[in-house]
Amino acid sequence: PFLLCLLMLKTIGQQSTFEYDVLRNNKVIGHTVVTGIKTTGKVTYKVSAEINVSFIKDFKAISEEETVFENGVMVSSLFSRSLNGEVKGKRNTRLIDSVYQIVEDGKKSLHNLGKINLNISGLYLNEPLNTNRIYSDNHRQWLKLTKIKSHSYRLDLPDGNYTLYHFENGICARIDIYQTFFNARLVLNNKNQARINIPISSSY
């Protein structure tokens, strides 16, 4: 029975799920759920977010992401976003030989991005100790990452906006989003679980 349990654990792998409240002006406007699944040589990150905002009229934004790393390298990612039920972006990225193929709105393009070892989805569950850049599936490019103090990092976006990531015990505990017309904060609401779980690394 003991060997059988070990075999089952190896097959199922390690899974961690964390939930974030999305706040604006100290009011909860949505939620983000992040799941990391680790099996031998493979790590999968899933990020689901839903935000409801009233600004002249009501807006409901939903995004879904799924990223797969094999042996520390991103081999595929799916990214989709909708606003009030209308799809605003859908992107499929896949590693083919040494380049990434991006399919968006039915159009294929090849991008020489090097080997992607960490993207924004993985940033939730991995403190970026050994890198100064992160790949963004949304922007289709590498973004500058700067350490501003112990366990806190600034991610600069192409449009001049930026995001701050704050880590506790290797897990992202808070995210501060600064945009021209929209500021928000994500706060991890199951810290006790986060302290118990071992961070899932993509071996970057």
Side-chain angles (χ1 to χ4, degrees), residues 71-93:
N71 299 317
V73 177
M74 190 183 89
V75 295
S76 67
S77 73
L78 296 172
F79 175 87
S80 65
R81 178 173 295 167
S82 64
L83 183 63
N84 291 340
E86 181 181 351
V87 177
K88 291 295 184 179
K90 192 171 185 179
R91 189 173 300 118
N92 186 344
T93 303

Side-chain angles (χ1 to χ4, degrees), residues 38-89:
K38 184 176 184 179
T39 56
T40 304
K42 182 178 179 180
V43 177
T44 301
Y45 299 105
K46 298 181 180 181
V47 182
S48 301
E50 180 176 322
I51 298 175
N52 296 276
V53 180
S54 294
F55 185 74
I56 301 178
K57 67 175 185 177
D58 293 336
F59 293 94
K60 181 177 181 179
I62 297 176
S63 64
E64 300 281 346
E65 302 176 50
E66 181 174 322
T67 311
V68 178
F69 287 83
E70 291 184 359
N71 299 317
V73 177
M74 190 183 89
V75 295
S76 67
S77 73
L78 296 172
F79 175 87
S80 65
R81 178 173 295 167
S82 64
L83 183 63
N84 291 340
E86 181 181 351
V87 177
K88 291 295 184 179

Side-chain angles (χ1 to χ4, degrees), residues 122-128 150-153 165-174:
L123 198 56
Y124 286 92
L125 304 184
N126 299 281
E127 182 172 353
S150 181
H151 307 300
S152 293
Y153 305 81
Y165 291 82
H166 307 278
F167 291 81
E168 294 181 13
N169 301 315
I171 298 293
C172 187
R174 192 178 89 239

